[in-house]
Amino acid sequence: MAVGDRIEDRNHITGFKEEIKKAKDASRDAFFTWFNAGKDADEVFLRGSWDFACHIVRPVERFVKNPENLTVLEIGHGGGRILAAAARFFGRAIGVDIHEDNELVLAELKRRGIENIELVRSDGTRIPLEDNSIDIVYSFIVLQHVEKIEIFQNYFREAYRVLKPHGIAVLYFGREYKYSINKRARLLYLFDRFRERYTLKNGYREIPARVNETNLRVSLSFARKLSRETGFKVAKNLVSRKKVPDGLELYGGQNGLVLLKNLSNH
């Protein structure tokens, strides 16, 4: 996966735009594999289908009825690898991202037979959509790259704003870990959860890093508190997983939450 060649002295929005442009200028496959490592665009889109099914659909399936009538929004659609899968599960799929190459992504998605999509460019701090217009909001392997906690907090508020009454958010974010990464032992995961209370004294850590490396780690307790303060009901804790050839699931680098727009709080 391509990254910048230095620890950031740019803000993360400028850095991402510049590095994505370099990838686009290199080749089609370089662009689409920039957002998630793979040998070519086809492999990346296949992995995107897997990630959407495992990390988004599976946690929310019990809350969803008539998906063909629902509109889903991805925060940080990148090259569209996960959004492509979302468009096959739901009636309409919208992606929002900061880069300037939505025409390239749209053409690739249409080449793959996907028409029920819309791509929107954002400023990297807000979602340029109307209030109460989306049924499901999700973000995967994106919020860990936000360099400032204020922007992270704002995306929770923005997700709440654009969701319809009783809408669903599935938001993943970088977690604090030392012992459980790429391991299968639940005890090690729980130990890392316990440990993060002491290593993330403010509930989060902003990390100077190259573009496309982890800029922010947030404790689950901090994210749960933020969700409740925003107005969400916390329905479920999540953690990303990695499948390996023997069928085992290893712990990945993100925690996540399933959130319900809880109008009784407002």
Side-chain angles (χ1 to χ4, degrees):
M1 184 182 296
V3 296
D5 58 3
R6 63 183 187 271
I7 300 296
E8 282 307 289
D9 53 17
R10 305 166 286 186
N11 67 61
H12 79 286
I13 296 171
T14 299
F16 267 87
K17 286 181 178 179
E18 291 179 355
E19 297 303 325
I20 291 168
K21 184 179 185 302
K22 289 179 186 177
K24 177 192 174 186
D25 292 344
S27 71
R28 168 181 168 272
D29 279 335
F31 175 80
F32 287 105
T33 59
W34 192 91
F35 300 96
N36 195 74
K39 66 181 181 181
D40 56 28
D42 288 340
E43 182 177 285
V44 165
F45 275 85
L46 283 171
R47 290 182 180 179
S49 296
W50 180 265
D51 280 336
F52 186 74
C54 293
H55 294 107
I56 309 300
V57 173
R58 188 163 62 178
V60 304
E61 59 181 345
R62 71 186 183 93
F63 302 107
V64 175
K65 294 181 179 180
N66 303 317
E68 67 277 6
N69 298 328
L70 302 183
T71 298
V72 63
L73 168 69
E74 179 175 359
I75 299 172
H77 64 259
R81 71 182 191 95
I82 296 179
L83 192 66
R88 299 189 187 280
F89 276 85
F90 294 96
R92 183 180 178 220
I94 302 174
V96 60
D97 211 311
I98 61 174
H99 67 69
E100 302 173 359
D101 300 300
N102 279 340
E103 289 187 5
L104 176 61
V105 177
L106 192 64
E108 181 69 22
L109 292 172
K110 290 186 174 181
R111 188 179 74 83
R112 295 173 182 273
I114 300 168
E115 300 285 345
N116 56 328
I117 54 171
E118 178 184 351
L119 303 181
V120 180
R121 186 179 169 193
S122 77
D123 64 2
T125 63
R126 61 181 299 273
I127 301 171
L129 297 174
E130 294 181 359
D131 297 0
N132 306 308
S133 59
I134 303 296
D135 296 291
I136 299 174
V137 175
Y138 71 90
S139 188
F140 186 73
I141 319 181
V142 172
L143 296 179
Q144 66 184 15
H145 299 306
V146 173
E147 65 180 347
K148 297 296 182 183
I149 193 64
E150 291 83 3
I151 298 176
F152 177 86
Q153 292 168 314
N154 195 57
Y155 269 119
F156 274 64
R157 291 188 286 266
E158 284 286 277
Y160 187 92
R161 179 184 64 80
V162 301
L163 280 172
K164 295 178 182 178
H166 311 296
I168 306 166
V170 187
L171 303 176
Y172 286 85
F173 44 91
R175 71 182 180 95
E176 182 74 4
Y177 58 80
K178 183 176 181 180
Y179 301 106
S180 60
I181 190 70
N182 294 328
K183 304 286 178 58
R184 62 175 300 196
R186 179 166 175 78
L187 284 177
L188 292 179
Y189 168 70
L190 293 175
F191 183 75
D192 273 342
R193 281 272 306 276
F194 175 80
R195 179 177 169 273
E196 76 179 7
R197 298 181 184 181
Y198 301 97
T199 56
L200 300 181
K201 294 182 179 180
N202 295 320
Y204 62 89
R205 178 184 295 132
E206 297 171 343
I207 305 167
R210 296 183 297 173
V211 170
N212 235 4
E213 293 184 347
T214 299
N215 291 94
L216 184 67
R217 289 180 178 164
V218 179
S219 72
L220 199 58
S221 59
F222 181 95
R224 287 174 61 90
K225 183 174 183 289
L226 170 62
S227 301
R228 292 191 296 267
E229 291 174 347
T230 302
F232 283 114
K233 176 182 177 181
V234 179
K236 190 174 184 180
N237 296 334
L238 303 171
V239 61
S240 62
R241 302 296 185 99
K242 299 178 182 179
K243 281 278 191 179
V244 292
D246 59 5
L248 299 177
E249 286 192 345
L250 310 180
Y251 285 99
Q254 300 175 93
N255 277 328
L257 295 169
V258 177
L259 306 171
L260 308 180
K261 187 167 182 176
N262 186 13
L263 299 181
S264 64
N265 287 355
H266 288 258

